[in-house]
Amino acid sequence: AKAAGRNTLRFFDPDMQAAVTARALMEEDLRQGLQNNEFFLCYQPQVDVYGRMTGAEALLRWQHPRRGLVPPAEFIPLAEETGLILPIGHWVLSTACTQLLAWASSPEMAHLTLAVNVSARQFRHADFVEQVLAVLDHTGANPLKLKLELTESLLLDDVEDIIAKMTALKAHGVGFSLDDFGTGYSSLSYLKRLPLDQLKIDQSFVRDVLTDPDDAAIARTIVALAQSLRLDVIAEGVETGEQRDFLERNGCLAYQGYLFSRPLPLEAFERFQRGAEWE
Ligand code: C2E
Ligand code: CA
Ligand code: CA
Ligand code: CA
């Protein structure tokens, strides 16, 4: 009776009630947002050792009519829980592929690859491979320019199934990067078996790479691991020239971060690239 009483009390906890209501409102807002075209993509440059842009990462943005710009950290988790990540993820993929096709006919943009974040829930869906192939087919985008960023949380799933899906997409030319590498659950034996193209050093290791010997050791180890597995490696969250130089000295030759550019809306991104070409 005491426990029940406590539960009853908890149920009427005004803070919790408020949280539940806020969540339900946000879920409805997400549905509306998708219907009303409130989402858009920003593009963050990825550069090589010479500072030349080789590609970009597409990052989702939500322009809410009242809340303003809502960062992905505030809505992606809910979208994953509710399953709304499936239609949202499909929208991201088809918008990104439409953009790739548009760039294909522009001399300054045609060489760029585009990385798209795929949530574990999206990848896990039985039709994921067919969906990606259908989007490529409908948009006419070059699969060789599309890179899918997967996170380590995916590796909690059936590895055979993951390998089968990745292999099917790779057969069409789609590339794969393992995002946030080093923060999750990767087992090195899995890593060897996955048909990956790239490891992405998480920004949490890059941030203090100059001052924290542990982060420096982890960053170096990831680069060495990528080299021995013959994978590309890119560092995200590069904010200073010193961080970039440390990474270069340790064999990481591709970078993404505020040092080069913040994620930019389409027009600004294209201007950024065209401007660089004119220098
Ligand atoms: P992520 O995939 O690790 O993306 C990198 C995040 O770091 C982005 O945050 C980016 O704006 C930020 N960033 C880039 N350079 C720097 C830097 O130099 N310093 C710092 N401090 N941050 C930097 P953003 O755009 O807020 O996205 C957050 C996360 O939301 C992403 O992390 C990704 O997990 C998720 N996300 C974004 N777009 C999508 C999407 O289309 N689908 C899915 N499933 N998840 C997405
Ligand atoms: Ca990413
Ligand atoms: Ca990351
Ligand atoms: Ca992340």
Side-chain angles (χ1 to χ4, degrees):
K2 216 172 171 188
R6 226 183 263 138
N7 282 337
T8 310
L9 271 177
R10 271 228 235 123
F11 184 77
F12 290 109
D13 179 327
D15 286 349
M16 201 169 142
Q17 190 79 316
V20 168
T21 310
R23 220 189 98 103
L25 283 176
M26 173 91 119
E27 184 180 344
E28 185 47 34
D29 273 11
L30 269 175
R31 273 180 222 285
Q32 287 290 323
L34 195 58
Q35 252 171 23
N36 300 342
N37 274 309
E38 291 165 12
F39 293 98
F40 66 99
L41 294 181
C42 276
Y43 300 87
Q44 187 176 33
Q46 298 180 330
V47 305
D48 67 13
V49 74
Y50 306 107
R52 292 181 304 217
M53 204 199 300
T54 56
E57 177 177 3
L59 292 157
L60 184 58
R61 297 290 179 262
W62 181 16
Q63 186 67 54
H64 188 281
R66 289 184 317 280
R67 292 172 211 254
L69 198 60
V70 188
E74 283 177 28
F75 67 88
I76 298 262
L78 182 63
E80 280 171 350
E81 277 174 55
T82 56
L84 282 168
I85 196 68
L86 297 174
I88 292 173
H90 187 269
W91 180 87
V92 169
L93 197 61
S94 73
T95 304
C97 287
T98 302
Q99 200 51 59
L100 269 178
L101 183 74
W103 288 340
S105 54
S106 153
E108 302 97 338
M109 315 300 283
H111 67 288
L112 301 177
T113 58
L114 190 52
V116 171
N117 292 286
V118 173
S119 86
R121 174 138 189 199
Q122 205 186 340
F123 188 88
R124 200 174 285 150
H125 195 274
D127 292 332
F128 181 72
V129 170
E130 288 70 23
Q131 279 179 22
V132 175
L133 294 179
V135 167
L136 285 166
D137 199 41
H138 290 155
T139 57
N142 180 354
L144 292 168
K145 300 285 185 232
L146 179 64
K147 195 180 289 175
L148 300 181
E149 292 198 359
L150 307 178
T151 58
E152 291 175 273
S153 57
L154 192 74
L155 301 176
L156 296 171
D157 292 4
D158 173 14
V159 184
E160 297 305 329
D161 181 58
I162 298 169
I163 294 173
K165 283 176 165 167
M166 289 176 73
T167 306
L169 287 169
K170 279 199 76 69
H172 291 264
V174 176
F176 287 94
S177 180
L178 194 53
D179 203 359
D180 300 346
F181 186 69
T183 63
Y185 324 77
S186 284
S187 130
L188 295 180
S189 64
Y190 284 180
L191 196 60
K192 184 182 83 178
R193 297 182 55 207
L194 296 179
L196 285 166
D197 300 276
Q198 184 183 66
L199 299 182
K200 198 163 192 182
I201 304 176
D202 189 62
Q203 61 187 60
S204 62
F205 305 122
V206 173
R207 192 178 308 126
D208 299 321
V209 82
L210 298 167
T211 51
D212 184 333
D214 293 336
D215 287 339
I218 292 169
R220 274 199 215 96
T221 303
I222 295 174
V223 174
L225 187 63
Q227 286 169 346
S228 54
L229 294 171
R230 286 175 301 277
L231 301 175
D232 292 338
V233 63
I234 183 169
E236 70 173 11
V238 180
E239 295 185 356
T240 70
E242 289 77 15
Q243 291 168 343
R244 181 224 163 271
D245 294 346
F246 174 93
L247 290 159
E248 184 192 356
R249 279 199 303 282
N250 286 282
C252 176
L253 307 180
Y255 323 94
Q256 179 182 342
Y258 297 167
L259 174 63
F260 305 98
S261 170
R262 293 192 171 250
L264 299 170
L266 178 63
E267 287 74 26
F269 175 78
E270 291 182 338
R271 244 183 284 126
F272 178 90
Q273 170 63 354
R274 298 210 158 102
E277 293 287 311
W278 287 338
E279 269 171 23

